[in-house]
Structure formats: structure tokens, C-alpha cells
Amino acid sequence: MNNITQITHPLVLHKLALIRDKNTGSKDFRDLVEEVAMLMAYEVTRNFQTEDVKIETPIGKTTCKMLSGKKVAVIPILRAGLGMVSGILRLIPAARVGHIGLYRDETTLKPVEYFCKLPQDIGEREIIVTDPMLATGGSAIDAISMLKRKGAKNIQLMCLIAARQGIEAVVEAHPDVHIYTAAIDEELNGNGYIVPGLGDAGDRLYGTK
Ligand code: PRP
Ligand code: URA
């Protein structure tokens, strides 16, 4: 599939194993999610444009490359997507951050919207949507649709674990969006949780269960 990149760097795989482990507590879980997001951001930004700039070092003049393309907006899907933002901002400190609030209704598994606040120039920016879990795909599909309604065009989705079903749903709804994930899991259980997954990402990040 052209729309998906699985990031299999050994550091990412190692940290993801620790994240999945049920014995990893909230503090370590938060730190690891931040670190993996930072490592993944390195790959997600691989094709960003650069331009030649003239620089004077203490020794002499030279021409170097600096970023020249569109500015970036990081858009976490609340709550769990928030855990990935700080890692990305460590690499792209000038990025703006918008927030989309969605939760999955526990019975219908359909996303329910409760918040949307985006940078005004969202249509001019490279968008990185963050959510650790892509399960049925409903939340990501809705978040991306909200972004498009506000004028966003260049959208990438960054997850930690994506279920095959969620990937297929996002690709069908938004074929222009590239998905980056550290793992692809095959199954969802009857409650819509990814198997083996990592459990409830929001609860594990914030210690709410
Ligand atoms: C989780 C997760 C995704 C969504 C994935 O959020 O962070 O947003 O479920 O499921 P889907 O692909 O089937 O839509 P949740 O609704 O639990 O909210 P939270 O982040 O506030 O805990
Ligand atoms: N949301 C989660 O937090 N985990 C899953 O496995 C699925 C949806």
C-alpha cells in the first residue's frame, strides 16, 4: 500500500515493546510515547523542502541547506494524541499546535466531537495529525474531515499502532493522507480495542484507570 509507512527503526521497536508492556507505568509510558513520536518525526519530515543558504562559519564562507517549505502544524486528537506533541516539537519547535477533541462512544464506537481549535493559517501548513491508536479509524477519519473543512490540504497521520481495519478505512476515506505507524496489528476485539495493541492509550498516559 502506497499510503502507509511503517517505521521499523530498532530504537522505535524497542521503545514500542516497552510501551505495550502492561507493567509500564504512566510516567514511563508518557516518556516513551514522547520519545517514539520524536523518532518518528524524523522520518515524517524526511521529504521536507530545503534551500541553499549562505553561512559564514568562524573559519570561512559556505553554502548550507535550511528548511524552506511550508510551516508545520501538529494536530493531536485529544486526549491520547497529546502525548505525542512534545516529542515532535522538540524537532520542530516553531510548529503551531491545534487541538481536535474526539472520544469514542463506548457502545457505538463512533467518534463524538467536543473541541476544535486550529491555527488560522491551517490551509498553508504541513499538517501532522497525532493519535497513538488507529483502531476502527473512525476518530482519525472524522478529525481529518474536520481539518479539510477548515481548509487543510497537506495532511499526514502519525500513529504508534494501527489496526489493519483502521488503515483500510482511512485510506478509503482520505486517499490523499499518508499514514506513518510504528506497528500494524491485525485484529480488533469486540470492544474495538486493538489486539495485542497497548490497551487504552489515554488512560495509560494520564493514569485515569
Ligand atoms: C482512542 C484513541 C483514538 C481512538 C481510536 O481515543 O486515542 O482517538 O480511540 O479508535 P478508533 O480508530 O476506533 O476511532 P478515545 O476515544 O479512547 O479517547 P481518549 O484519547 O480521550 O482516551
Ligand atoms: N483506543 C485505545 O486507546 N486503544 C485501542 O486499542 C483502541 C482504541
Side-chain angles (χ1 to χ4, degrees):
M1 224 183 256
N2 292 335
N3 306 45
I4 183 140
T5 301
Q6 190 175 355
I7 295 176
T8 55
H9 190 286
L11 285 175
V12 170
L13 298 183
H14 178 86
K15 289 174 193 292
L16 184 63
L18 295 171
I19 288 171
R20 284 186 191 267
D21 188 336
K22 67 177 184 184
N23 296 313
T24 299
S26 276
K27 186 201 174 297
D28 289 342
F29 189 93
R30 268 197 302 275
D31 290 349
L32 287 159
V33 168
E34 178 184 342
E35 288 166 16
V36 170
M38 184 177 71
L39 294 168
M40 290 182 75
Y42 185 75
E43 286 296 331
V44 171
T45 54
R46 178 175 287 283
N47 295 320
F48 276 17
Q49 284 174 11
T50 57
E51 64 184 356
D52 288 346
V53 288
K54 293 193 188 330
I55 296 284
E56 206 167 333
T57 76
I59 310 297
K61 293 181 178 170
T62 186
T63 302
C64 301
K65 303 271 184 208
M66 290 185 86
L67 291 171
S68 66
K70 291 182 174 19
K71 298 198 167 105
V72 175
V74 183
I75 314 290
I77 302 177
L78 304 180
R79 286 176 300 169
L82 211 46
M84 300 169 74
V85 173
S86 52
I88 300 172
L89 290 181
R90 284 173 68 184
L91 288 192
I92 318 170
R96 296 284 165 88
V97 181
H99 297 84
I100 292 182
L102 291 177
Y103 69 87
R104 270 198 333 178
D105 181 284
E106 283 180 7
T107 327
T108 64
L109 299 183
K110 297 281 177 232
V112 181
E113 299 172 13
Y114 62 90
F115 190 75
C116 181
K117 184 85 178 171
L118 304 174
Q120 275 187 340
D121 58 352
I122 194 77
E124 313 305 319
R125 289 179 179 264
E126 290 280 352
I127 315 284
I128 305 174
V129 176
T130 63
D131 195 329
M133 311 306 282
L134 180 64
T136 65
S139 304
I141 289 170
D142 264 30
I144 293 165
S145 297
M146 285 166 83
L147 284 164
K148 286 183 174 174
R149 284 199 295 276
K150 305 269 183 184
K153 294 178 211 81
N154 306 294
I155 304 174
Q156 312 192 72
L157 173 63
M158 193 199 285
C159 327
L160 298 190
I161 303 178
R164 185 83 54 191
Q165 179 183 329
I167 295 169
E168 285 169 3
V170 171
V171 169
E172 191 180 339
H174 298 294
D176 55 314
V177 171
H178 198 94
I179 303 168
Y180 291 84
T181 186
I184 299 174
D185 284 8
E186 294 302 328
E187 279 181 66
L188 297 182
N189 70 14
N191 297 321
Y193 279 87
I194 300 175
V195 183
L198 54 74
D200 188 305
D203 284 342
R204 292 196 63 191
L205 273 167
Y206 301 113
T208 41
K209 223 173 232 173

